[in-house]
């Protein structure tokens, strides 16, 4: 397995534009998590899915953020409109109900100018 | 509420010296604890978890429920150990994601 795959690796966009981050979890994993990493706040859990269903989105900072998981092999995190304070590294992770820990993707480094 | 505290933002030690990265947690249930490592601009990698009680790359960590601690230790630091280290607590018994500490940047000096 190629692990958790995220795209793009880097994204630079202008304030106000829509940004879509993508994640492909490990095949067979039934849980998917989106994290945001910043210098100030460290790693924060934004939202997670179990069997494609959103379970807890209390970490999503505002309505500008939305996430979907249309099937077991794909998830998106969308920011619309983007703002400079959204600049961060966004990580996706997957797990089999927590058994064996969590596997992280390489992250998407987002810069909003 | 769950909380993970890593009191040191930065820890610098010389090669060959012992290393201890501190982690304290706050959780009312039975904790499941992890250490993750992040080398420069790379993905987070699982280093070890308390349930497996294994040693990876010479690192060990013991869960001390009395002190609510899960400190990471290595007897002899190597230069390749330089990285960010994150202590994490499993939410909901481990199946609902992780609550991370702020991380400790470990620098091993030659």
């Amino acid at each position: 397995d190629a692990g958790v795959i995220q795209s793009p690796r880097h994204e630079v966009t202008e304030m106000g534009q829509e940004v879509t981050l993508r994640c492909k979890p490990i095949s067979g994993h039934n849980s998917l998590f989106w994290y945001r990493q910043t210098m100030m706040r460290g790693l924060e859990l934004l939202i997670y899915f179990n069997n494609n269903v959103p379970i807890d989105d209390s970490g999503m900072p505002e309505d500008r953020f939305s996430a979907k998981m249309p099937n077991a092999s794909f998830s998106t995190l969308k920011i619309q409109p983007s703002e400079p304070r959204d600049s961060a590294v966004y990580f996706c992770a997957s797990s089999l109900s927590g058994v064996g820990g969590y596997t992280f993707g390489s992250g998407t480094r987002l810069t909003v100018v | 509420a769950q909380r993970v505290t890593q009191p040191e933002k930065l820890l610098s030690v010389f090669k060959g010296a012992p290393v201890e990265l501190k982690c304290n947690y706050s959780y009312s249930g039975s904790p499941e604890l992890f250490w993750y490592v992040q080398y420069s601009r790379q993905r987070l990698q699982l280093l070890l978890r308390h349930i497996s009680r294994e040693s990876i790359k010479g690192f060990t960590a013991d869960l001390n429920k009395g002190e609510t601690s899960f400190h990471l230790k290595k007897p002899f630091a190597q230069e390749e150990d330089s990285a960010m280290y994150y202590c994490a607590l499993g939410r909901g018994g481990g199946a609902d994601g992780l609550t991370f500490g702020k991380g400790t940047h470990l620098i091993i000096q030659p």
Side-chain angles (χ1 to χ4, degrees):
Chain A
D1 200 321
V4 176
I5 300 172
Q6 291 186 246
S7 64
R9 288 295 305 272
H10 303 275
E11 175 82 37
V12 180
T13 190
E14 290 186 347
M15 183 173 65
Q17 296 298 306
E18 177 180 296
V19 175
T20 299
L21 312 181
R22 297 172 175 79
C23 176
K24 181 182 185 327
I26 287 177
S27 177
H29 280 187
N30 63 346
S31 300
L32 183 141
F33 305 81
W34 282 101
Y35 286 88
R36 179 171 66 176
Q37 183 181 39
T38 60
M39 290 288 289
M40 291 296 294
R41 301 172 69 93
L43 279 153
E44 304 172 276
L45 178 64
L46 300 178
I47 184 172
Y48 78 94
F49 297 82
N50 242 358
N51 297 316
N52 313 337
V53 176
I55 302 299
D56 183 356
D57 65 354
S58 59
M60 296 284 260
E62 357 183 335
D63 291 345
R64 298 184 296 106
F65 285 70
S66 63
K68 293 182 180 178
M69 191 163 186
N71 57 63
S73 59
F74 184 65
S75 176
T76 58
L77 177 68
K78 187 178 293 186
I79 308 172
Q80 166 64 18
S82 58
E83 296 182 3
R85 59 195 168 116
D86 302 331
S87 298
V89 181
Y90 291 82
F91 286 102
C92 176
S94 72
S95 170
L96 179 59
S97 300
V99 176
Y102 299 80
T103 302
F104 282 78
S106 298
T108 294
R109 182 172 296 275
L110 174 65
T111 303
V112 183
V113 298
Chain B
Q2 295 187 178
R3 189 163 55 227
V4 177
T5 303
Q6 293 180 252
E8 301 139 330
K9 276 190 173 181
L10 175 67
L11 182 63
S12 179
V13 302
F14 286 102
K15 177 182 170 182
V19 173
E20 183 178 48
L21 302 173
K22 292 185 168 50
C23 172
N24 288 89
Y25 66 91
S26 173
Y27 183 55
S28 56
S30 184
E32 183 163 0
L33 286 147
F34 306 80
W35 275 100
Y36 278 82
V37 59
Q38 185 179 30
Y39 300 102
S40 180
R41 293 189 171 231
Q42 294 185 24
R43 70 182 69 200
L44 282 91
Q45 301 173 40
L46 179 64
L47 186 60
L48 52 81
R49 55 192 304 190
H50 89 273
I51 281 182
S52 58
R53 299 183 67 80
E54 57 191 341
S55 171
I56 304 294
K57 298 185 180 183
F59 285 96
T60 59
D62 288 318
L63 176 61
N64 186 323
K65 290 187 178 180
E67 295 183 357
T68 60
S69 68
F70 189 56
H71 303 327
L72 184 68
K73 299 177 183 178
K74 184 169 183 177
F76 307 105
Q78 298 171 293
E79 288 186 67
E80 55 264 35
D81 296 330
S82 294
M84 281 292 294
Y85 290 80
Y86 292 94
C87 182
L89 175 64
R91 291 155 47 105
D96 299 333
L98 298 168
T99 298
F100 283 92
K102 290 286 178 69
T104 297
H105 186 187
L106 177 63
I107 296 174
I108 308 301
Q109 299 190 47

